[in-house]
Amino acid sequence: MQITDHQAKYFAYELIRRTPPDSLEKLTGAVAGAQVDLNPHQVDAALFAFKSPLSKGVLLADEVGLGKTIEAGLVISQKWAERRRRILVITPANLRKQWHQELGEKFFLPCRILEAKSYNAAIREGRFRPFEADELVICSYQFARAKAADVANTPWDLVVIDEAHRLRNVYKPTNIIANTLKKALEGRHKLLLTATPLQNSLLELFGLVSIIDEHAFGDVKSFREQFGNLSQEQVFNALKARLRPLCHRTLRRQVTAYIPYTRRLPLVEEFTPEQAEDELYALVSEYLQRPNLQALPAGQRSLMTLVLRKLLASSTFAIAGALQSIADRLRGKLKRQAPATTLEEELDQDYEALDETAEEWPDEPEEPLSDSDIKAIEQEIADLDAFARLATSIDHNAKGKALLKALKVAMDKAVSLGAAQKAIVFTESRRTQNYLLRVLADSPWKDGIVLFNGSNTDERSKAIYAAWVERHQGTDRITGSRSADMRSALVDYFRENGQIMIATEAAAEGINLQFCSLVVNYDLPWNPQRIEQRIGRCHRYGQKHDVVVVNFLNRKNQAERITAPRISARNCAARPAGARWTLCSSSARAN
């Protein structure tokens, strides 16, 4: 093929063209064909990631729903265009499929999900370095940790870490996954994504920055000494200045000029527990306050007490199962039988937020078991059996009945706003999830219910998944990862046919539900930022209607009477994030 002199000159120009790293022209070619409706703040974030050629990486911390995946896609596309194609995306397992779709459909980037099955298949085929591929590699946190040696030995051009707040406690030696990944990715250019870089402690921000550059703040002791007192304006400004080259955060209030965000409309649904529920609550509460409690590990008593109180507030069905499990463990303890799993692992089967809660909870010293504890254990077993029998005898909860009332009011509100009659109901317990399925079995929405949790092994989910696989057989919608495809199948069903999604915390991250404008917090998590993540599934870029948020309030629970209205006000305000979150903004407007 011959080219003209004009074409030769153009090609020569393209070959020798140089642009500053933070120039808009740098991204133009890379995204020219992308199927993306770009917004200015997303371009700014991508350019920020390229700003310093000496940078070891950056943290993009836009608020929920502002399109961090798109920002990451811009950065990845530019790297790909520069022929730097050793790119790894580490994400929670349930978000792998979403990343695969977003990068493939919007940026036309070749991707593959690497997990145990595909990894072993590559080894059998003689490809002994499966991470070194001609495609962009996507894997889960757990898989990256398991294959840390392979990850460390691969010369990555870029590593993207989604939901990076999961690594925020890397400064704690007990956080195995975070420390393993930090060591494996040492020296690699990293792009961290999280809407909640700071939740409970300033040290979490230190942890995330240390993954990018462990010399940015020195050690933990030095960080505490320098920035331990943010009440002093001088210290606060010094921290912002140190973060400015590393962290970029955009708030919703900064983009309202070109993104017309809808409102959040809070509703508080009050309910009064029945007498039997009150009696159970009082008995279990008294039990958890006993000074000599054998059922809970001494080093985790505060954590386990919190979890049991959360299950007690969720439903009698949730606490009944937990009480029976604890009683059975105590029987094994009397027989000197070592349990097959820890109490934490056992409760995790129902309370899916336990891992995250445990990370945020301080460790406690273990105390030895004395001979006098035997009688206490026997008494505890008798009490726990009695509590479990009482819990099991309760067929219906007042809170469950209140849900039917709340849904009727909220659905009517959705109709008045012109929105679809769809609601996502969040609970912290799988047992409560099953109870709510029974509660809604006779409701007007009984035929449009879909469950969403960490495993989805119920028959309803299996049927939805089977139909989805048959429908998309032979297309690239199917990745071969059952967990990732199950997640897509359930969201698709909810969008096209469903009316109510009953979800655990597994649905609080990564899924896009702009087609739904009703969020019901049946159970309120203790961390308000997790509520923000829940609401952000619906109240995000692309939502066309005002989002109704319903929180439940037990009239007889003094703690809920104080906190629920405050949580509703905070998370439904025009700018839910507080001033402390503006530390991560590179913009002078965020103050």
Side-chain angles (χ1 to χ4, degrees):
M1 175 183 174
Q2 291 186 338
I3 59 175
T4 66
D5 291 343
H6 177 78
Q7 290 171 326
K9 186 175 182 179
Y10 173 78
F11 292 147
Y13 167 75
E14 286 294 324
L15 288 171
I16 65 173
R17 183 174 59 168
R18 296 289 186 270
T19 57
D22 58 347
S23 168
L24 183 62
E25 190 177 2
K26 184 177 182 68
L27 289 176
T28 304
V31 300
Q35 298 295 311
V36 182
D37 181 18
L38 288 178
N39 288 297
H41 72 276
Q42 294 168 331
V43 176
D44 287 344
L47 292 175
F48 176 84
F50 290 112
K51 191 169 186 178
S52 172
L54 301 178
S55 170
K56 298 178 181 179
V58 296
L59 169 64
L60 300 185
D62 290 1
E63 279 194 271
V64 176
L66 288 180
K68 288 182 292 297
T69 306
I70 300 300
E71 295 168 1
L74 293 175
V75 176
I76 293 171
S77 294
Q78 179 60 30
K79 291 286 187 181
W80 194 268
E82 294 172 359
R83 301 288 174 175
R84 291 188 280 178
R85 297 182 174 181
R86 295 269 192 237
I87 300 175
L88 173 66
V89 176
I90 300 176
T91 183
N94 50 21
L95 301 185
R96 292 170 299 172
K97 174 63 179 293
Q98 181 174 316
W99 272 93
H100 188 276
Q101 283 184 289
E102 293 268 330
L103 295 176
E105 295 175 2
K106 294 182 178 178
F107 295 95
F108 305 107
L109 292 168
C111 309
R112 71 183 178 112
I113 296 175
L114 193 61
E115 55 186 355
K117 183 179 179 180
S118 55
Y119 180 93
N120 293 334
I123 296 295
R124 287 194 298 269
E125 293 169 3
R127 292 184 287 118
F128 299 110
R129 299 176 71 92
F131 278 94
E132 295 188 9
D134 295 330
E135 305 142 301
L136 188 152
V137 177
I138 302 170
C139 73
S140 69
Y141 277 90
Q142 291 78 8
F143 188 79
R145 176 213 169 181
K147 305 298 181 184
D150 287 4
V151 172
N153 291 328
T154 303
W156 302 110
D157 295 312
L158 175 67
V159 178
V160 178
I161 303 178
D162 190 24
E163 305 294 348
H165 52 267
R166 296 187 174 209
L167 304 180
R168 65 188 183 277
N169 290 326
V170 66
Y171 61 91
K172 295 181 179 180
T174 54
N175 195 319
I176 305 300
I177 291 181
N179 278 281
T180 302
L181 292 181
K182 179 182 178 181
K183 183 177 180 181
L185 298 172
E186 187 176 3
R188 307 304 183 199
H189 192 85
K190 291 176 280 288
L191 180 65
L192 274 58
L193 309 175
T194 175
T196 54
L198 177 63
Q199 297 190 34
N200 303 293
S201 168
L202 203 61
L203 289 177
E204 296 168 354
L205 197 55
F206 164 82
L208 287 176
V209 171
S210 72
I211 292 174
I212 299 171
D213 183 357
E214 63 179 354
H215 301 297
F217 287 117
D219 58 16
V220 175
K221 181 180 178 181
S222 174
F223 181 83
R224 282 197 177 104
E225 290 175 351
Q226 293 181 72
F227 307 110
N229 185 11
L230 283 185
S231 60
Q232 297 181 13
E233 185 176 354
Q234 185 178 3
V235 175
F236 182 85
N237 290 334
L239 180 57
K240 286 185 67 175
R242 294 282 289 276
L243 288 170
R244 192 166 287 118
L246 293 166
C247 305
H248 184 284
R249 181 170 174 84
T250 303
L251 308 176
R252 284 196 190 95
R253 62 182 174 85
Q254 294 174 283
V255 302
T256 53
Y258 50 88
I259 298 181
Y261 271 100
T262 59
R263 298 176 299 163
R264 294 181 181 180
L265 306 177
L267 293 176
V268 175
E269 181 61 34
E270 297 188 11
F271 66 96
T272 302
E274 302 292 342
Q275 182 177 350
E277 295 177 69
D278 266 348
E279 182 182 352
L280 178 65
Y281 185 90
L283 288 170
V284 175
S285 294
E286 182 276 328
Y287 167 75
L288 292 174
Q289 294 173 21
R290 295 179 187 178
N292 185 24
L293 202 59
Q294 299 300 318
L296 306 183
Q300 293 182 306
R301 175 160 178 174
S302 296
L303 171 63
M304 293 297 103
T305 298
L306 171 68
V307 171
L308 291 172
R309 287 193 179 280
K310 295 299 294 178
L311 293 175
L312 182 62
S314 179
S315 71
T316 57
F317 305 92
I319 195 62
L323 292 172
Q324 193 59 62
S325 294
I326 294 173
D328 291 341
R329 293 178 69 85
L330 284 177
R331 289 188 183 93
K333 192 174 183 178
L334 282 180
K335 297 176 182 178
R336 309 292 183 183
Q337 295 175 346
T341 60
T342 65
L343 179 58
E344 184 176 338
E345 291 170 332
E346 197 158 332
L347 291 179
D348 184 52
Q349 299 302 309
D350 181 42
Y351 184 77
E352 291 188 347
L354 196 145
D355 281 347
E356 183 175 347
T357 305
E359 285 183 3
E360 298 164 352
W361 211 254
D363 297 327
E364 301 170 72
E366 291 286 347
E367 298 177 5
L369 185 65
S370 65
D371 295 337
S372 62
D373 292 329
I374 300 299
K375 289 186 178 180
I377 292 177
E378 292 174 343
Q379 183 58 52
E380 278 189 41
I381 292 174
D383 291 340
L384 287 166
D385 284 340
F387 301 159
R389 284 194 298 272
L390 174 58
T392 307
S393 71
I394 301 173
D395 295 327
H396 296 285
N397 293 178
K399 191 176 179 182
K401 296 177 181 178
L403 175 64
L404 294 173
K405 175 186 172 185
L407 283 174
K408 176 66 168 64
V409 173
M411 289 290 196
D412 289 344
K413 183 68 174 177
V415 171
S416 71
L417 295 171
Q421 292 192 57
K422 293 181 184 291
I424 180 167
V425 180
F426 281 102
T427 175
E428 294 193 305
S429 163
R430 290 193 191 181
R431 292 188 178 101
T432 301
Q433 186 182 46
N434 291 330
Y435 162 63
L436 295 181
L437 181 61
R438 297 195 298 272
V439 168
L440 295 169
D442 296 324
S443 73
W445 314 286
K446 62 182 179 180
D447 296 325
I449 300 174
V450 56
L451 302 182
F452 197 112
N453 55 48
S455 63
N456 285 110
T457 55
D458 61 285
E459 295 304 318
R460 182 183 297 254
S461 297
K462 289 178 181 178
I464 292 173
Y465 173 71
W468 184 88
V469 169
E470 182 178 357
R471 174 183 170 187
H472 295 288
Q473 196 67 49
T475 72
D476 59 2
R477 289 297 305 277
I478 299 177
T479 66
S481 168
R482 188 184 185 280
S483 60
D485 290 343
M486 172 67 81
R487 194 175 175 93
S488 295
L490 297 175
V491 171
D492 285 355
Y493 177 86
F494 185 38
R495 179 191 298 109
E496 298 162 7
N497 305 304
Q499 283 190 282
I500 295 178
M501 174 180 278
I502 309 174
T504 63
E505 287 301 309
E509 287 182 341
I511 62 174
N512 300 328
L513 304 177
Q514 294 97 325
F515 54 86
C516 173
S517 60
L518 173 54
V519 179
V520 179
N521 289 309
Y522 188 81
D523 297 332
L524 285 171
W526 74 279
N527 188 338
Q529 286 305 313
R530 279 172 45 209
I531 302 176
E532 175 63 23
Q533 288 176 332
R534 290 177 176 183
I535 300 173
R537 298 309 99 217
C538 300
H539 192 245
R540 58 194 300 113
Y541 179 60
Q543 174 61 257
K544 295 181 173 61
H545 305 281
D546 291 340
V547 175
V548 179
V549 182
V550 182
N551 295 327
F552 279 75
L553 171 61
N554 180 353
R555 289 192 183 97
K556 294 184 178 181
N557 188 315
Q558 185 62 27
E560 286 191 16
R561 289 179 64 84
I562 294 172
T563 59
R566 291 180 181 175
I567 288 174
S568 292
R570 172 176 176 170
N571 288 91
C572 289
R575 186 179 70 89
R580 65 173 182 161
W581 299 102
T582 63
L583 280 171
C584 290
S585 177
S586 66
S587 169
R589 293 172 295 172
N591 50 47

